[in-house]
Amino acid sequence: METANNFLKQIIEKDLESKKHTFIVTRFPPEPNGYLHLGHAKSICLNFGLAQEYKGRCHLRFDDTNPETEDVEYVESIKNDVKWLGFDWNEHLYFASDYFQQLYDWAVYLIKEGKAYVCSLSEAELREYRGNFTTPGKDSPYRTRSVEENLKLFEQMKNGEFEEGAHVLRAKIDMKSPNMNMRDPLLYRIRKAHHHRTGDKWCIYPMYDYAHPLSDAIEGITHSICTLEFQDHRPFYDWCIENCPVTAHPHQYEFARMNMTYLVMSKRKLLQLVKEKYVDGWSDPRMPTISGIRRRGYTPESIRLFAERIGVAKAESVIEYDILESCVRDDLDARAHRAMAVLDPIKVVIENLPADYKEELESSVHPKKPELGKRKFYFTKEVYIESSDFQENPEADFFRLSPGKEVRLRNAYVIKCNEVIKDSSGKVTELHCTYLPETKGGKPTSDGRKIKGIIHWVSASECVEAEVRVYGRLFSVSDPENTPEGKDFKSNLNPDSLKVVKNAKLEVGLKEASLEHRYQFERVGYFCLDSQDSKPGALVFNMTVGLASGH
Ligand code: ATP
Ligand code: MG
């Protein structure tokens, strides 16, 4: 595959060449506090992809150090999503919570080494003592506590003898450091919260910045890849590795978070959309979650292709949503079964056919895959066409059906429109046409007239009706987070992001549509069955993506 400006590959290749490492170990470390989104998908493809490419391995590790926001529901959905994307952690499934005892022991070790202390400043005082970018921090009055006192207090913290916020454990580094993350960062805080895995065993929990490097070291991670906002945390990452008695020395590398136009990519914001019911749960097909795009019909192959195409950048950028959609189209074009479907029907009555006329016609399931065989459908006296394929007063460049004009019904015959029937309100209800028997299957008219337009159609008597959900973008502007004073990203939600077509008319063979296949409704777009709501006899299709960009 193409090596799209991936500086990480260069680093790994150098490390392998110099024998700094002989085996590459990466990890994907989600916090189980929400469903994964496209940004995570990028990180999964990157970490698992690098491990695959260099014949190493990638761990799935849950960074579960915040008991209040985490849940097993999220753990399960994350495992599902990683598998669905096509990756396998084999036996290497880990939880930071599995290391709580080890992390505690190392904290005790740091205290004994005089490198950590129990601080009893309040939260507000901690903030004040920390200073800011222009003001250096001040030493905490508790910084000089003796090792014995620190050991005793830390143990009491562990035993639940103090209230939340009474004390914290801090690293003793440098309150004057220009890097705020090095100003005696917190290692532990008291949280009397139930943890989804360790239950009530612990009432002190390690901070992410302390737990993460040490978890990497415990697992022998060689390349710890994270997003740019952790760049300033790297000195503390290294401090933990250097000052705790670990045997492995992982190194942290940063790449730019993936952002995309028309989306928000933050679990916190996506959670708001779910909780406040702007969408129908985490797996709403409009959501940029992996479970959402899966239900929408995006394929794992298209996401992996996308991750490869966009490459890995060191500087923040915003990826056009169109790039993702073109990856989805490229993948679906090669596999989708073809069918005809009319979403906004208008009835056509073929005057020169008897009422019970039923002719079997066929076409290929896939134009480039003869091995998939043929599909059958019927030409009958009444058929449906898309109402947008008819114009009573045609524009100059309109070559489809209009009064007195001819058009070819795809895979069938040329028809000519003789009469337009309207209801009392003037709305067109039927078109009366004649068909040209000699034009079957793409043949010319008897005098060789050129028929410019080809449209799709479905038999009115030999069809299946279904609900079709057509999606627009979830947000109506390309940068949803850019809002005027007093408004938030939700004010940019697209009110027309879901259009439900109740009685779409589908080619009869789609009665047997199945979840494992993808479909191209010819001239319309790519569709799949909805995994939650579709039932035999009451089919529901989701539109995955339109045929051309901008749809
Ligand atoms: P969010 O801000 O959406 O909550 P997060 O970074 O807090 O995301 P984690 O569960 O901590 O979520 O992330 C797991 C991994 O996924 C991390 O290594 C993180 O760097 C990576 N990741 C998260 N968002 C993106 C993104 N937009 N682009 C690339 N990688 C990402
Ligand atoms: Mg996070």
Side-chain angles (χ1 to χ4, degrees), residues 27-31 33 36-37 39-40 42-43 225-227 229-230 255-259 265-268:
R27 85 285 172 268
F28 172 65
E31 189 184 348
N33 62 352
L36 298 184
H37 52 59
H40 296 112
K42 166 73 207 166
S43 177
I225 300 162
C226 64
T227 38
E229 68 270 25
F230 289 100
F255 73 105
R257 268 183 115 66
M258 186 188 74
N259 301 299
M265 207 102 76
S266 139
K267 278 184 282 191
R268 201 171 45 79

